[in-house]
């Protein structure tokens, strides 16, 4: 592993505020909201909370990937190809929408389902690839603990373990839990954009004397330095995700769940979806069971 001399600094802190999404669902949208439209290659980070009968009924995606990581409860997903299943607490669904997916994502049990959904942009050369899924049950997600620091490696590598997830847009996605009085140094590839999103507890990030940061806050890390340095100086566990990705440096043209490079490609996408073409063929006669 590379030497860790200088931590990246925290250049911006955002509180993710709640907003409505889907039908009756609540999301705390940090990236993708009005304050931070994009953070290349990331298009959105939603901390979602949904209780039946609310949910995310039939909707399309084109041109990017959705990474759903369940924190509590279960979401049932099904798509227009007949691919269906459940994502339980701790499970991961890495969906490469590519040229087109139409699916629904609905609560699968009583109570409140919570999780994170990260949207990762695809490069222009990959926007129209065949859709594909990489799905991992919680037990298959590599996990290890060292000196009070536990990591679950969703993508990339940390503390000597690696995830098998293939990241078409090079990405790291690490779920850390720091016990009180523990300390972390995690390297981040040079020139990758990286952020922290705090889930539970309070943590100190970047400089040792920084004020603690609480849950639902997004911290953008600066470009220079070797990686993230974090401390838990509180009496309770600190849980956060560290996400990093190689910037695509391409123009972004977005209309909700359609993300291309030009307005013309967005117009074409709207046409394709309306006329069931170029990857949306199966949407013509499909409705999810939840819609019936
Ligand atoms: N209408 C509309 C339009 C576009 C969408 F992407 C969605 C949507 O599905 C979600 C947006 N955030 C999310 N977080 C978690 C989950 Cl499981 C789903 C979503 C949606 F519902
Ligand atoms: Fe979706």
């Amino acid at each position: 592993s590379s030497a860790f001399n200088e931590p990246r600094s925290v250049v911006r802190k955002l509180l993710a505020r709640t907003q409505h999404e889907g039908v009756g669902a609540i999301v705390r949208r940090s990236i993708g909201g009005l304050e931070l439209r994009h953070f290349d290659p990331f298009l959105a980070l939603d901390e979602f909370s949904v209780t039946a009968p609310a949910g995310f009924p039939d909707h399309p995606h084109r041109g990017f990937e959705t990474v759903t990581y369940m924190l509590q409860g279960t979401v049932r997903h099904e798509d227009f190809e007949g691919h269906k299943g459940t994502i339980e607490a701790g499970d991961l669904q890495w969906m490469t929408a590519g040229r087109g997916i139409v699916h629904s994502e609905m609560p699968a049990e009583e109570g409140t389902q919570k999780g994170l959904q990260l949207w990762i942009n695809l490069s222009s050369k990959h926007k129209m690839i065949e859709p594909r899924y990489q799905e991992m049950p919680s037990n298959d997600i590599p996990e290890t603990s060292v000196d009070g620091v536990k990591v679950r490696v969703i993508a990339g590598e940390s503390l000597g373990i690696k995830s098998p997830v293939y990241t078409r847009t090079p990405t790291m996605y690490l779920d850390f839990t720091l016990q009180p009085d523990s300390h972390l140094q995690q390297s981040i590839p040079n020139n990758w954009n990286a952020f922290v999103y705090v889930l539970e507890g309070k943590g100190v990030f970047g400089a040792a004397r920084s004020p603690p940061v609480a849950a639902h806050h997004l911290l953008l890390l600066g470009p220079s330095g070797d990686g993230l340095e974090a401390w838990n100086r509180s009496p309770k566990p600190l849980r956060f995700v560290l996400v990093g990705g190689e910037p695509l440096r391409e123009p972004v043209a977005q209309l909700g769940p359609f993300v291309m490079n030009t307005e013309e490609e967005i117009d074409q996408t709207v046409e394709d979806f309306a006329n069931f073409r170029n990857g949306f063929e199966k949407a013509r006669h499909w409705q999810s069971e939840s819609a019936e």
Side-chain angles (χ1 to χ4, degrees):
S1 66
S2 54
F4 195 104
N5 302 311
E6 186 61 36
R8 291 194 185 203
S9 58
V10 173
V11 295
R12 190 164 170 199
K13 180 175 93 167
L14 246 71
L15 170 65
R17 298 178 191 287
T18 55
Q19 66 181 70
H20 291 279
E21 178 57 271
V23 174
I26 302 287
V27 302
R28 287 181 179 271
R29 181 163 292 163
S30 45
I31 300 171
L34 295 173
E35 294 178 70
L36 180 63
R37 201 77 195 87
H38 303 134
F39 185 49
D40 189 9
F42 305 110
L43 300 163
L45 177 68
D46 280 354
E47 182 185 3
F48 64 90
S49 174
V50 59
T51 307
F56 305 96
D58 304 15
H59 61 276
H61 291 280
R62 173 180 278 183
F64 63 103
E65 303 188 301
T66 64
V67 181
T68 306
Y69 182 47
M70 286 307 292
L71 299 173
Q72 171 185 301
T74 308
V75 155
R76 174 166 187 70
H77 65 88
E78 52 175 299
D79 76 10
F80 64 171
E81 296 267 356
H83 178 85
K84 55 179 77 168
T86 56
I87 314 171
E88 299 178 1
D91 293 356
L92 173 73
Q93 182 194 60
W94 196 292
M95 182 182 82
T96 304
R99 65 198 310 248
I101 280 274
V102 180
H103 71 168
S104 65
E105 299 155 290
M106 302 298 284
E109 58 188 56
E110 294 308 303
T112 302
Q113 330 300 321
K114 291 179 188 281
L116 294 174
Q117 187 167 93
L118 175 70
W119 289 14
I120 308 174
N121 204 359
L122 288 171
S123 67
S124 49
K125 59 185 177 301
H126 292 140
K127 281 185 180 293
M128 295 300 279
I129 58 173
E130 278 305 306
R132 70 169 284 204
Y133 292 88
Q134 297 176 84
E135 292 168 308
M136 287 173 73
S138 188
N139 292 340
D140 291 357
I141 294 178
E143 176 176 322
T144 188
S145 291
V146 176
D147 298 337
V149 176
K150 178 176 92 169
V151 66
R152 284 167 55 82
V153 183
I154 293 162
E157 60 182 299
S158 174
L159 303 185
I161 58 175
K162 283 183 74 159
S163 161
V165 169
Y166 171 65
T167 61
R168 195 170 298 280
T169 300
T171 301
M172 66 192 290
Y173 191 152
L174 305 172
D175 172 5
F176 285 107
T177 301
L178 270 61
Q179 291 310 314
D181 302 326
S182 62
H183 167 240
L184 165 73
Q185 291 184 333
Q186 169 62 47
S187 60
I188 299 170
N190 286 336
N191 76 50
W192 281 25
N193 280 336
F195 64 85
V196 164
Y197 187 74
V198 181
L199 293 171
E200 291 162 27
K202 287 185 171 39
V204 172
F205 301 91
R209 281 174 305 289
S210 311
V213 178
H216 313 309
H217 283 84
L218 180 92
L219 300 174
L220 295 191
L221 302 182
S224 52
D226 305 306
L228 172 71
E229 189 153 22
W231 296 261
N232 181 1
R233 299 214 177 92
S234 80
K236 293 185 182 160
L238 163 66
R239 187 178 181 190
F240 62 90
V241 291
L242 168 62
V243 178
E246 187 176 40
L248 297 167
R249 305 193 206 289
E250 293 183 336
V252 175
Q254 177 172 7
L255 179 67
F258 298 145
V259 185
M260 302 304 284
N261 298 104
T262 66
E263 287 311 316
E264 292 69 31
E265 289 169 339
I266 289 291
D267 296 342
Q268 182 59 57
T269 299
V270 172
E271 277 270 306
D272 290 347
F273 181 56
N275 298 297
F276 312 108
R277 279 201 302 251
N278 292 325
F280 289 119
E281 288 77 2
K282 300 256 172 92
R284 181 187 294 274
H285 301 298
W286 180 78
Q287 262 200 331
S288 65
E289 284 153 22
S290 62
E292 280 151 16

